[in-house]
Amino acid sequence: MFASNRWAPAKAHAAVAAQLATWGHCPAETVGDAVEAVTLLLVEAAVADGGKRVSVHLSDQDGQACILALSHHAGLADGPGDAGDVLHRITAHQPVTGCGTDAGPDGRRLWAVIDL
């Protein structure tokens, strides 16, 4: 959980990288660059939603990582909306195998799956 401010994306990336290392994942440089870029994009979009906090959730399975950012700003419309550009920018990274967004009672969720 991070305060929703301009420092949140960098803090989130540091936390994601540290957790992946703890789990024994040492991605190649290009994959590591993609993990950084995708984490920054997800969290920047969540911060832009205007909530007071952002949470980042990470899971790994079968050589892939799922990174999810939650804006904690309820009442946003479901669907990509302005997230369409973010999703397009996320998929530009080669190791990304999927991404998406939806809105729920706890705010907008943006996620990406990356081959490690």
Side-chain angles (χ1 to χ4, degrees):
M1 184 85 60
F2 304 95
S4 185
N5 58 37
R6 64 183 178 156
W7 298 283
K11 290 179 179 180
H13 168 254
V16 165
Q19 186 60 54
L20 287 174
T22 298
W23 289 338
H25 297 292
C26 298
E29 184 176 338
T30 56
V31 175
D33 291 346
V35 168
E36 177 180 14
V38 167
T39 302
L40 295 175
L41 287 166
L42 292 169
V43 177
E44 286 168 358
V47 167
D49 284 349
K52 291 184 179 185
R53 63 189 191 283
V54 172
S55 59
V56 176
H57 306 269
L58 180 67
S59 62
D60 72 323
Q61 182 176 343
D62 300 327
Q64 294 183 315
C66 180
I67 306 167
L68 180 138
L70 179 60
S71 70
H72 294 281
H73 187 259
L76 296 171
D78 194 8
D82 61 349
D85 180 55
V86 171
L87 298 179
H88 180 73
R89 291 169 56 201
I90 288 170
T91 59
H93 295 279
Q94 186 67 28
V96 173
T97 61
C99 64
T101 182
D102 69 344
D106 51 355
R108 183 164 63 148
R109 294 177 290 262
L110 299 111
W111 57 269
V113 175
I114 301 176
D115 277 333
L116 297 173

